[in-house]
Amino acid sequence: MNGTGGGRPTGQGSVCHTVSEKTDSRTARLRKGSRGGRPPGFDEERCKKHHTIERAINRLEQHRAVATRYGKRRYVCLGTATVAALSIWLRT
């Protein structure tokens, strides 16, 4: 993800939201009335899970070999990610 808060499509052409709506966007939408469009959905529990996963991926990418993906073969990449995960787990 690029940090914009967009989710993955659900298969029905819609996108799941994980970031809450800004207050100025909400007031502008309410001010427009029926022309304001449909409010985006927001699930607080899903946002918490999304944040946890993002933090875990960022911690894994602190390891240079994981971030740059030096391994060309699947088992090398898996081993590198496993070693990185173990070192994170042992430090916490």
Side-chain angles (χ1 to χ4, degrees):
M1 252 193 225
N2 59 6
T4 59
R8 295 189 183 268
T10 60
Q12 300 167 343
S14 63
V15 176
C16 298
H17 296 277
T18 55
V19 177
S20 60
E21 184 180 18
K22 295 180 182 175
T23 55
D24 60 340
S25 298
R26 184 180 309 133
T27 55
R29 182 176 46 76
L30 291 174
R31 187 178 61 243
K32 290 181 181 179
S34 63
R35 297 178 303 119
R38 191 175 68 187
F42 175 69
D43 184 11
E44 186 175 346
E45 189 62 33
R46 183 180 172 121
C47 185
K48 287 179 184 178
K49 290 178 182 177
H50 174 77
H51 182 64
T52 302
I53 291 171
E54 285 289 323
R55 286 185 312 170
I57 290 172
N58 287 338
R59 277 189 147 185
L60 278 174
E61 288 183 348
Q62 296 279 324
H63 295 269
R64 182 181 178 131
V66 175
T68 56
R69 294 171 187 87
Y70 281 131
K72 302 297 183 206
R73 303 204 181 263
R74 183 179 56 165
Y75 66 89
V76 174
C77 289
L78 180 62
T80 304
T82 304
V83 168
L86 279 172
S87 69
I88 291 170
W89 179 62
L90 290 174
R91 274 191 266 157
T92 56

